[in-house]
Amino acid sequence: MTPLRCINFIFLAFWAPAVLAVMAEKPPVPTYLIPKPPPPPSPVKPSVPVIPVKPQIVRCRSKLFPHCFNIPFLCPLDCLTNCYVDCVTCKAYCSCNFPGAVCQDPRFVGGDGNTFYFHGRKDQDFCLVSDTNLHVNGHFIGKRKPNLRRDFTWVQAIGIMFDDHRILVAAKRTSTWDDNVDRLAISIDGNPISLPTEEGSKWQLPAPSNVSIMRTSNNNGLVVEAVNNFRITANVVPITAQESKVHGYDITDEDCFAHLELGFKFFNITDSTDGVLGQTYRSDYVNKMKVNAVMPVMGGDRKYLTSGLFSADCAVSRFGGKVLEKANSASPVHEYPALNCKSGMEGNGLVCKK
């Protein structure tokens, strides 16, 4: 064997096994062809039980309408807990959609049919209506969210002053809401009023005052009326978990911010009336808000701020003779009828005008 062949044999003998091993290996698969493992299953959140809201039953309580008197109606789906029966049409309507309504974060429907918001400030009192013989203040509760300049507010109580009387209607502070528990607090001239928790139960102050307070439901609903002066409906409602989530209220289990949803009717209001709501009933009232805005907001908190729930010292007060000179001869403005708008009373801004 020649030296060259000997070298080749030695080379093949040494490297052949390694070459054969490499050739036997499978080529690597590109990473983009390797299937990714499926993502781990997301944790299943426990479902939050939806507590059904029981519709309120309402009735026409006026014997002047025998075709409708005492017939029970369920509140519409849009307002399961706050509606009333129009004795003329004998139908149930949402109370928050008519002139004189004060609901939600306070959302007002003025006497001219315009919808607007007045936020005020939490833990303070504001003049809602001020006239020669009627003054109504509202006590606002609420909470502040760090990224907002204003408070979320709701009307927790009202103080009604007329003649020589003082009536308090308030929602008691509540943590966990229960429809079967009454959360109303009522007093007149400093004396608590106890009404049986039964729809239709009534307390009355005899003539000449002719003041009556009647439950409109077994719990959390009533109407206060002074003949030839006013009728005010009040319902206590909570902030629900759904409302808190939608609006970002961040309501906790410590306080559900029970508050009042109100409806005002005036029978002998004058053209000098003022206040957040009262001014909208004047014949010369001019709406300066942006009625086409998503939330038309009435400002001027300082004008309506008062020192207490039974104080008539706001800058626009007309109560107890604090009337503008021209108002001494002002003719009374009688009750505004319920407005019937083809477009309905929902929505923002100018929805209907008398």
Side-chain angles (χ1 to χ4, degrees):
M1 181 181 295
T2 64
L4 181 60
R5 287 183 178 181
C6 183
I7 292 173
N8 288 340
F9 177 80
I10 295 172
F11 176 82
L12 290 174
F14 182 80
W15 287 106
V19 173
L20 291 174
V22 171
M23 293 177 64
E25 290 182 358
K26 294 182 179 180
V29 180
T31 55
Y32 65 85
L33 294 178
I34 301 176
K36 295 181 180 179
S42 56
V44 178
K45 294 182 180 179
S47 59
V48 179
V50 177
I51 301 175
V53 179
K54 185 179 179 181
Q56 181 182 348
I57 298 176
V58 290
R59 306 168 190 264
C60 168
R61 292 293 184 178
S62 176
K63 294 182 179 180
L64 298 175
F65 302 91
H67 70 289
C68 193
F69 176 71
N70 215 29
I71 296 176
F73 291 87
L74 291 176
C75 284
L77 292 176
D78 292 341
C79 52
L80 292 175
T81 60
N82 190 7
C83 72
Y84 77 101
V85 174
D86 186 331
C87 296
V88 177
T89 61
C90 208
K91 292 182 180 180
Y93 296 94
C94 293
S95 302
C96 290
N97 295 337
F98 284 88
V102 181
C103 301
Q104 300 164 8
D105 177 17
R107 171 184 177 269
F108 291 73
V109 182
D112 59 350
N114 280 302
T115 298
F116 64 93
Y117 291 79
F118 176 81
H119 300 302
R121 279 173 277 177
K122 67 176 183 177
D123 303 325
Q124 294 190 343
D125 304 305
F126 295 91
C127 298
L128 304 183
V129 180
S130 188
D131 201 13
T132 55
N133 191 30
L134 176 63
H135 189 98
V136 183
N137 291 329
H139 178 72
F140 285 42
I141 57 173
K143 62 184 303 184
R144 171 66 62 90
K145 214 176 173 184
N147 58 341
L148 288 182
R149 289 186 175 181
R150 69 170 183 86
D151 300 325
F152 287 127
T153 53
W154 302 275
V155 178
Q156 179 265 338
I158 55 172
I160 309 167
M161 296 180 283
F162 65 100
D163 295 339
D164 294 323
H165 298 298
R166 306 288 183 268
I167 298 178
L168 169 72
V169 179
K172 298 177 183 178
R173 179 169 178 168
T174 307
S175 55
T176 303
W177 182 260
D178 185 345
D179 285 334
N180 296 316
V181 178
D182 187 59
R183 307 306 298 166
L184 272 166
I186 320 158
S187 70
I188 181 166
D189 300 329
N191 302 308
I193 300 296
S194 178
L195 281 174
T197 52
E198 181 180 351
E199 181 189 358
S201 59
K202 189 174 183 178
W203 179 94
Q204 189 152 0
L205 195 64
S209 294
N210 289 324
V211 179
S212 64
I213 302 173
M214 184 179 69
R215 286 195 183 271
T216 55
S217 59
N218 292 342
N219 297 298
N220 300 311
L222 58 77
V223 57
V224 181
E225 183 169 358
V227 175
N228 296 325
N229 196 340
F230 64 86
R231 182 193 301 127
I232 301 173
T233 59
N235 290 276
V236 181
V237 296
I239 299 297
T240 65
Q242 180 65 18
E243 286 178 303
S244 179
K245 181 179 179 181
V246 170
H247 299 288
Y249 294 145
D250 293 335
I251 301 299
T252 65
D253 293 337
E254 297 177 358
D255 191 352
C256 70
F257 285 85
H259 59 282
L260 299 177
E261 291 191 339
L262 302 161
F264 291 84
K265 285 281 189 179
F266 308 111
F267 303 116
N268 201 26
I269 201 166
T270 73
D271 216 16
S272 69
T273 187
D274 215 315
V276 177
L277 177 66
Q279 62 184 312
T280 65
Y281 285 83
R282 291 202 308 257
S283 60
D284 63 349
Y285 174 68
V286 177
N287 187 346
K288 297 180 181 179
M289 292 172 286
K290 296 180 179 179
V291 295
N292 294 325
V294 175
M295 288 182 65
V297 177
M298 178 181 289
D301 292 12
R302 292 184 180 180
K303 287 196 302 182
Y304 310 111
L305 185 65
T306 185
S307 60
L309 200 55
F310 289 108
S311 297
D313 56 0
C314 60
V316 297
S317 178
R318 301 289 181 263
F319 185 64
K322 297 178 183 178
V323 186
L324 294 175
E325 185 176 344
K326 68 173 184 179
N328 292 328
S329 60
S331 59
V333 178
H334 296 286
E335 177 186 6
Y336 278 68
L339 304 188
N340 183 15
C341 308
K342 293 180 180 179
S343 61
M345 293 298 295
E346 293 289 354
N348 304 296
L350 185 60
V351 289
C352 184
K353 195 167 179 70
K354 181 172 176 287

